[in-house]
Amino acid sequence: MLKFINEILLCFRPCFSRKAAFEWFATIITGLMVRSDSLGITSIIRDLLLNPSLYNCMEHFFHADSWDWDDIFTKWTKTVSRYAPFKQISGRTVLIGDGIKRASDGRYMPCIKKMVQESESASKPTFIHGHFFGAVGVLAGKASKSFCLPLSIQIHDGDRVISEWLGDESVSHVVQMLRDGFRAAQHFGDSLFVLDRYFLTVPLLKEWKVYSRKAPGLLHIVTRAKRNCTAYERPGAYKGRGRRPVHGPAVHLKELFLSDAAFFQEAHLQIYGTEKKVRFLSRTYLWGQKLYQPLRFVLVEYEKTQAILVCTDLSMRAEDIITAYAHRFKIEAMFREMKQCFGGFCYRFWSKAVPKLDRYRRKTASDPLEQVKDGQERTKILKTLRAIEGYVLFSSIAMGITQMLCLKYEGKIQVSDFRYLRTPSHQVMSEASMMEYLRRNLFRFMARQEELTITKIISSRQVPFETEEIDLLIS
């Protein structure tokens, strides 16, 4: 098991210009895989028994110039395509995207913004301050169980001024999500991008058409429409004088559940892990004001639930569209494990160069970052933002390696031998169970495989132990 971790980590060596930077990267990834709490990089030092005096060195690594976010993301995507078993639909890799809001009280963190708390829990406030991330994952697994393996998680909102500093175009969360999907699809080939109904917008389809002209068929979108969605039939034969019509009569899709109930087909499909009887109707209509993009609409009924699914691939089977969208919830499970097990959003990077957060700033007021004119202060802010996104990316890599271990060692580890579970577990372990197994056996593996690079790196940073203490750790 440690050999597999060592093999994957060695793939990232070309991403670092200095050997010391790579060694810190390998140490941090391993520490994130065995951490027992969510207290930032402090937990890495505790769980790996590192020398506490190295805290400042580890913190400096996140701000160092010896690594680049894009290089590590590219290498991580290539590594996933090589080692992870993918679950494909219609011969395409399934990518899943969604946004997540992370509440933060940091007064000197960049890109903190006021957001609406969408949770229905009465214990949570209506508005929160924090970061808004956009995440893209790939569906990996076997017939018994599948994961949404994280590829990239980046801040998608609140960075307008920083984008202007870098000379980049500031785009909306929806457009940025699509660009992240196309960037990932370049490494996986023809893909399906499963999104929530929030993303079915005209700007998304316009951006998709632009990218589809450059790479036809590389990425198709599967999403969901709102209940009050209105589409249009194709225009009929042109007669008479005047401008040619761009669309036909309007169609209120929710009315088709009653008016065209006799045309629905039935099938038994795997939805959310169980086989269910599904009724569906597939039609092609035009959608989008002043765009009128042809889309495949699939009206679905199962267990008194009705949904309207949408796909940009007009030739895709309705059953495959339903199956693909049923996997969208995997990314919600990924967010839960990322927060509760890996502490992927428990970063604490801040800078005095960032203007102090004003919680009562009006929406129409200018961004405080516009007042930062000094070049050195801008550099500090950029490095702080880079440290935040780097920490989340490293947590994604740690989680992805853990998920690959769960799939690789299916049925070979008995969870009940080291962890009590109230309900029976699947053959494929969960991320939390694999973390517990690594936490209990990491030092035993290191003692037996002293020749591995990862063993030498971690051992060189640990507090010196007496022989009796080492025997106690590996016993």
Side-chain angles (χ1 to χ4, degrees):
M1 185 174 293
L2 191 60
K3 288 183 178 179
F4 182 74
I5 299 174
N6 185 76
E7 183 180 353
I8 292 181
L9 292 178
L10 287 177
C11 296
F12 292 89
R13 180 62 185 91
C15 298
F16 299 90
S17 59
R18 293 193 289 270
K19 179 182 178 181
F22 167 72
E23 292 180 350
W24 275 120
F25 168 80
T27 303
I28 291 170
I29 296 297
T30 308
L32 291 172
M33 294 175 63
V34 299
R35 68 187 309 171
S36 57
D37 53 51
S38 301
L39 297 176
I41 62 178
T42 308
S43 59
I44 299 176
I45 292 179
R46 279 197 299 269
D47 291 312
L48 289 183
L49 304 178
L50 303 182
N51 193 328
S53 63
L54 297 176
Y55 177 89
N56 292 333
C57 295
M58 185 184 297
E59 184 182 20
H60 175 73
F61 164 78
F62 287 93
H63 299 84
D65 297 326
S66 55
W67 59 274
D68 182 75
W69 193 97
D70 292 325
D71 291 343
I72 296 179
F73 165 76
T74 302
K75 180 59 68 174
W76 170 234
T77 308
K78 292 180 179 179
T79 304
V80 169
S81 62
R82 177 183 175 185
Y83 289 96
F86 296 136
K87 295 188 70 172
Q88 295 187 334
I89 298 178
S90 296
R92 297 188 179 101
T93 304
V94 180
L95 301 175
I96 310 175
D98 201 0
I100 180 173
K101 298 174 181 178
R102 190 264 181 181
S104 175
D105 294 327
R107 292 295 184 96
Y108 296 98
M109 285 186 179
C111 300
I112 293 286
K113 63 169 296 184
K114 187 176 183 180
M115 300 175 291
V116 178
Q117 174 62 262
E118 298 172 348
S119 175
E120 297 179 356
S121 174
S123 62
K124 296 182 179 180
T126 305
F127 295 95
I128 60 173
H129 285 83
H131 288 131
F132 187 78
F133 289 91
V136 176
V138 61
L139 186 65
K142 301 181 181 180
S144 55
K145 189 174 182 179
S146 59
F147 298 102
C148 178
L149 196 150
L151 297 175
S152 70
I153 304 179
Q154 281 186 289
I155 293 177
H156 275 189
D157 204 353
D159 58 345
R160 177 186 59 83
V161 177
I162 293 180
S163 298
E164 294 176 356
W165 293 350
L166 300 175
D168 298 333
E169 178 188 6
S170 179
V171 296
S172 64
H173 165 56
V174 172
V175 174
Q176 183 62 44
M177 180 66 70
L178 183 67
R179 292 181 179 180
D180 291 346
F182 268 101
R183 182 173 56 178
Q186 292 175 357
H187 302 281
F188 298 107
D190 293 348
S191 305
L192 291 175
F193 198 20
V194 183
L195 299 168
D196 197 5
R197 65 182 180 182
Y198 170 83
F199 294 92
L200 183 59
T201 60
V202 171
L204 178 86
L205 293 177
K206 287 183 177 179
E207 192 76 8
W208 174 80
K209 291 178 66 176
V210 172
Y211 277 92
S212 296
R213 295 191 191 102
K214 301 177 183 177
L218 178 63
L219 186 71
H220 279 288
I221 300 171
V222 175
T223 182
R224 182 175 177 177
K226 297 180 179 179
R227 286 278 298 170
N228 61 351
C229 178
T230 301
Y232 301 91
E233 296 182 358
R234 295 181 182 270
Y238 177 68
K239 297 180 180 179
R241 300 159 58 184
R243 188 178 65 176
R244 184 182 299 271
V246 294
H247 64 82
V251 179
H252 300 284
L253 296 178
K254 66 179 181 180
E255 297 177 358
L256 298 181
F257 284 103
L258 295 177
S259 62
D260 290 10
F263 299 100
F264 275 68
Q265 304 178 33
E266 293 185 356
H268 289 82
L269 303 175
Q270 286 286 335
I271 298 180
Y272 305 117
T274 58
E275 185 176 295
K276 296 183 180 181
K277 181 180 179 181
V278 178
R279 298 180 68 250
F280 63 89
L281 175 67
S282 178
R283 297 281 176 83
T284 299
Y285 294 115
L286 306 180
W287 186 87
Q289 289 293 331
K290 299 182 180 180
L291 178 67
Y292 306 113
Q293 172 69 29
L295 298 174
R296 187 79 178 273
F297 289 88
V298 181
L299 284 71
V300 185
E301 281 186 337
Y302 70 95
E303 297 181 352
K304 300 182 180 180
T305 300
Q306 295 180 344
I308 304 173
L309 306 184
V310 186
C311 182
T312 56
D313 186 359
L314 305 183
S315 62
M316 190 171 177
R317 297 173 60 246
E319 295 90 331
D320 292 337
I321 296 175
I322 299 171
T323 303
Y325 190 80
H327 288 292
R328 193 208 69 82
F329 193 77
K330 293 292 182 180
I331 197 170
E332 304 293 349
M334 184 200 79
F335 288 147
R336 180 193 62 196
E337 300 299 321
M338 178 69 73
K339 291 186 292 185
Q340 297 181 1
C341 297
F342 294 88
F345 301 104
C346 297
Y347 47 81
R348 290 169 175 80
F349 301 103
W350 57 277
S351 174
K352 275 288 187 178
V354 180
K356 187 176 181 180
L357 176 66
D358 182 7
R359 298 185 178 277
Y360 303 100
R361 181 169 65 92
R362 293 182 178 273
K363 195 173 183 179
T364 56
S366 60
D367 194 316
L369 288 178
E370 295 179 357
Q371 305 172 5
V372 181
K373 304 296 182 182
D374 184 71
Q376 292 184 351
E377 291 187 349
R378 288 186 176 184
T379 301
K380 292 179 181 179
I381 295 174
L382 291 173
K383 285 188 175 183
T384 304
L385 177 61
R386 181 169 165 271
I388 292 173
E389 292 188 332
Y391 182 89
V392 179
L393 176 62
F394 299 155
S395 300
S396 302
I397 295 174
M399 182 175 182
I401 297 175
T402 305
Q403 291 173 337
M404 286 189 278
L405 287 173
C406 295
L407 297 171
K408 183 177 178 64
Y409 291 92
E410 177 185 5
K412 298 180 181 179
I413 301 174
Q414 294 295 327
V415 181
S416 58
D417 293 342
F418 62 91
R419 188 169 189 247
Y420 168 74
L421 294 176
R422 183 175 180 270
T423 56
S425 179
H426 299 280
Q427 287 293 320
V428 179
M429 299 169 60
S430 65
E431 298 95 328
S433 296
M434 179 57 71
M435 288 184 70
E436 181 66 23
Y437 180 78
L438 288 174
R439 193 179 300 125
R440 289 171 177 261
N441 297 278
L442 178 63
F443 296 117
R444 188 194 308 271
F445 295 154
M446 291 173 57
R448 294 176 179 176
Q449 299 171 327
E450 297 180 352
E451 74 283 357
L452 294 180
T453 302
I454 186 62
T455 301
K456 297 177 181 178
I457 291 174
I458 296 177
S459 299
S460 64
R461 286 166 167 75
Q462 288 180 324
V463 178
F465 292 101
E466 299 294 337
T467 306
E468 296 78 4
E469 295 176 322
I470 297 178
D471 294 337
L472 182 61
L473 287 173
I474 64 177
S475 60

